[in-house]
Amino acid sequence: MPFGPPYLIGPAATQPALLQIFSRPQGRHPPAFLFSAPHGLGWPLNVPNRAAAQGALLGGEFKGVGFSPLPLTPDTYLAATDLDASANVRGLIAFHFACFGMGTPKNDKFSFNPPEVPAQLAPQPFFSALPKRMLSHPGGPALATIGHIERAWATSIQPPNTDPQIQPFQNAIAKILRGLPLGLALTDFSLAYGQFAAIVGQMLADKLDGLPVDNDKLAMAWTQQN
């Protein structure tokens, strides 16, 4: 019999349910592949031990601002400290579509207002603790983790005034499940970045040349590129 449901959606994706995925009994392998699309936590600079839970995966216990109490408590999100020595992530490939799911840069990558310096997000850039824990787990490491540096935006799956554009995600998952190398599996994301980088570069060049540039379109292209 399968161990647990094949997917968790909305309120069912609680912290205990997520932990169960990593708590297979002895002799049972963890899933070969795990894709998650929760909120990833971003903490203010002055929060103690911030790095330990930056990018932690918010569970279905959180009902939204105004509906769930704040500040968040550790039993509402999955952090590195939750994967104790009994967890089982050996050989797993995890793909987390979540803010700060892989790391945090020093400065805000979505600010663009020269000559102002972008807002500071961290004293120094750092990788998130959860993927580091998965890749160095004493019971056997995950094979790979995939995720965001900085925030994940809705434009990653649905640009303005269009239908959802999830083909890069579909292609990546299909290639991973076929056992192809991760660099090849993620090619569509690199191509999308290159396309938006070319658009942004041309718009900035036009702006420097004194040509008219729609600032709203430039801001959106900048966001999509990053």
Side-chain angles (χ1 to χ4, degrees):
M1 292 179 61
F3 183 83
Y7 53 81
L8 299 168
I9 297 176
T14 61
Q15 190 220 47
L18 292 171
L19 277 174
Q20 188 178 20
I21 295 173
F22 304 114
S23 302
R24 295 296 176 102
Q26 288 293 328
R28 296 293 301 273
H29 294 294
F33 177 70
L34 171 67
F35 179 85
S36 68
H39 289 295
L41 300 187
W43 300 88
L45 272 168
N46 60 351
V47 171
N49 301 318
R50 167 178 181 248
Q54 184 82 345
L57 307 181
L58 185 61
E61 293 92 342
F62 185 70
K63 309 305 180 186
V65 177
F67 297 95
S68 292
L70 293 174
L72 295 171
T73 55
D75 59 349
T76 61
Y77 54 81
L78 182 71
T81 52
D82 296 312
L83 297 185
D84 61 20
S86 67
N88 184 0
V89 298
R90 181 190 292 271
L92 170 70
I93 295 176
F95 189 153
H96 301 308
F97 176 57
C99 295
F100 306 110
M102 188 58 64
T104 302
K106 181 176 181 179
N107 294 316
D108 186 338
K109 294 298 183 182
F110 296 98
S111 296
F112 184 75
N113 191 26
E116 293 184 18
V117 177
Q120 186 177 10
L121 297 181
Q124 295 296 332
F126 63 92
F127 287 107
S128 297
L130 181 58
K132 289 172 62 178
R133 175 65 173 172
M134 295 179 70
L135 292 171
S136 61
H137 195 275
L143 183 61
T145 59
I146 304 164
H148 269 267
I149 302 290
E150 242 276 16
R151 283 158 290 176
W153 292 77
T155 49
S156 293
I157 54 176
Q158 185 163 4
N161 305 314
T162 67
D163 293 329
Q165 305 290 319
I166 59 174
Q167 196 67 47
F169 290 90
Q170 291 174 321
N171 290 345
I173 292 171
K175 291 174 183 177
I176 291 170
L177 294 179
R178 287 167 55 197
L180 297 180
L182 288 185
L184 177 60
L186 299 175
T187 299
D188 282 27
F189 292 104
S190 299
L191 293 175
Y193 171 78
Q195 291 168 353
F196 284 117
I199 293 171
V200 170
Q202 185 60 58
M203 295 178 80
L204 292 177
D206 289 346
K207 202 173 184 70
L208 288 172
D209 289 338
L211 299 175
V213 173
D214 187 310
N215 286 330
D216 289 340
K217 290 182 178 180
L218 174 57
M220 183 52 63
W222 179 270
T223 300
Q224 289 177 294
Q225 169 197 275
N226 284 344

